[in-house]
Amino acid sequence: MSGKTTLSAKGQVVIPKDVRDQLGLAPGQVLDVVPMGGGVFLKPQHRKSGRSFEEIMAGIRARIHYDGPTVTIEEMNETIAECWRKAAEGSDR
């Protein structure tokens, strides 16, 4: 995948259509411009899904089935800390 383009008087560059299509670039897509090795590297920024936090969490809950009791953040933090301590001791449980 490569192509040629010309820098306009306004400093604009058109990315060839076949390259845009292959990369899934759309109008309005933000690109990071990174000077690299005597040239320029254009890197697409991650796109947001457009979904709300609640929609994303509902999707996660639909995939993960947990029937146990509600767990507090403090309990989660304690469990994580315990796992780290055990890992540091070289224990696997």
Side-chain angles (χ1 to χ4, degrees), residues 1-3 18-23:
M1 161 183 57
S2 66
D18 62 324
V19 174
R20 292 191 316 264
D21 290 347
Q22 188 168 1
L23 295 175

Side-chain angles (χ1 to χ4, degrees), residues 2 5 16-17 22-23 27 30 34 38-39 44 50 57 63 66 78 83-84:
S2 66
T5 190
K17 184 176 182 341
Q22 188 168 1
L23 295 175
V30 177
V34 182
M57 289 307 297
R63 290 188 179 104
Y66 177 72
E78 289 171 16
C83 289
W84 279 106

